[in-house]
């Protein structure tokens, strides 16, 4: 569990750190934006590892349900763009899930 916390902290710190460097050189803002995709992938892997460790946890199942809904909306080319708020919400949700689990 401690490894998941460290990995999640690293996944969240990378885009934030790059964005902070972007305050001095604007080219880093693009790199920070791209690194958020890597963060999303890392959080998906973290979610899978969390699910393997706690397979009966209903909150991780809800996480994967919302992730699946996001990708279905993304690939169905839904006309509303409201679903773009889901990745930051999922990021916070998984982080809270990981850091509150004993």
């Amino acid at each position: 569990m401690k490894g998941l916390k460290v990995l999640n902290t690293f996944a969240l710190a990378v885009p934030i750190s790059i964005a902070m460097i972007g305050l001095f050189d604007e080219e880093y803002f693009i790199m920070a934006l791209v690194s958020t995709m890597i963060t999303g992938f890392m959080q998906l892997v973290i979610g899978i590892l969390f699910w393997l460790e706690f397979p009966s946890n209903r909150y991780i199942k809800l996480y994967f349900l919302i992730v699946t809904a996001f990708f279905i909306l993304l690939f169905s080319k839904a006309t509303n763009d409201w679903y773009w708020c889901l990745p930051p919400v999922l990021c916070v949700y998984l982080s809270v899930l990981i850091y509150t689990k004993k």
Side-chain angles (χ1 to χ4, degrees):
M1 191 66 193
K2 185 175 179 172
L4 291 178
K5 289 180 182 179
V6 170
L7 188 59
N8 190 51
T9 303
F10 178 75
L12 296 175
V14 168
I16 292 170
S17 301
I18 295 172
M20 296 296 276
I21 297 170
L23 295 173
F24 303 106
D25 187 3
E26 292 180 2
E27 293 177 9
Y28 284 93
F29 283 131
I30 295 171
M31 290 174 53
L33 201 62
V34 171
S35 70
T36 59
M37 290 186 283
I38 297 167
T39 298
F41 176 74
M42 287 176 70
Q43 283 218 315
L44 192 61
V45 170
I46 292 167
I48 291 169
L49 293 173
F50 186 89
W51 177 63
L52 290 174
E53 195 167 330
F54 304 103
S56 62
N57 189 316
R58 64 179 177 207
Y59 299 114
I60 195 67
K61 292 176 184 176
L62 178 63
Y63 171 78
F64 283 116
L65 179 72
I66 298 171
V67 167
T68 304
F70 171 73
F71 281 107
I72 288 171
L73 288 169
L74 183 67
F75 291 121
S76 69
K77 297 182 177 143
T79 56
N80 294 345
D81 288 337
W82 64 268
Y83 57 87
W84 285 107
C85 70
L86 287 177
V89 169
L90 286 167
C91 181
V92 170
Y93 180 74
L94 183 64
S95 297
V96 168
L97 192 62
I98 287 172
Y99 294 121
T100 59
K101 188 71 176 173
K102 296 189 182 208

